[in-house]
Amino acid sequence: QVQLVESGGGLVQPGGSLRLSCAASGSIFSIGAMAWYRQAPGKQRELVAGITSGGSPNYADSVKGRFSISRDNAKNTVYLQMNSLKLEDTAVYYCNADIRDRYMRQGYWGQGTQVTVSS
């Protein structure tokens, strides 16, 4: 059974920083691309940042220059460093990973972690 567990969310003032972590565990054979999505109230879930198995990142235009995605393949973990946070960054942040276990390859989602930017 594969699980993704996120941590690091919380309440922060505008201009502040947070670092999210997402650790994959279970019967993992390999992990491909990993990504962070977010969903604000009343809005659709959107891609924030992604990173390939080789470490190449990509970002939504709204977070370029402020957010940084990285991964530690030895720990099966992906990170999202969020700086210069804005009110509009408030959302539930979800981790997604393309994981191959013993039997198949599929995408997995974490349970989500709340990020609230407020003064």
Side-chain angles (χ1 to χ4, degrees):
Q1 188 77 9
V2 174
Q3 284 188 319
L4 296 180
V5 178
E6 298 116 335
S7 61
L11 174 64
V12 64
Q13 291 185 339
S17 298
L18 282 175
R19 188 191 195 211
L20 306 183
S21 300
C22 171
S25 62
S27 301
I28 297 170
F29 182 78
S30 64
I31 302 179
M34 305 181 83
W36 288 95
Y37 288 74
R38 68 186 180 188
Q39 188 166 19
K43 295 188 176 181
Q44 290 188 332
R45 190 172 297 188
E46 63 175 358
L47 176 66
V48 176
I51 187 166
T52 67
S53 57
S56 296
N58 63 88
Y59 300 94
D61 288 342
S62 59
V63 306
K64 281 181 182 177
R66 300 188 298 121
F67 291 11
S68 177
I69 189 171
S70 61
R71 63 190 288 169
D72 184 334
N73 292 331
K75 295 181 179 180
N76 292 337
T77 299
V78 63
Y79 305 96
L80 185 68
Q81 178 66 44
M82 305 185 293
N83 300 325
S84 302
L85 282 160
K86 303 177 180 180
L87 296 175
E88 53 263 41
D89 294 318
T90 295
V92 178
Y93 284 70
Y94 297 91
C95 171
N96 176 270
D98 179 27
I99 296 176
R100 181 181 173 189
D101 62 19
R102 179 182 301 181
Y103 305 105
M104 63 187 299
R105 176 180 175 177
Q106 63 179 335
Y108 289 87
W109 290 93
Q111 81 286 356
T113 185
Q114 177 71 47
V115 171
T116 302
V117 184
S118 175
S119 56

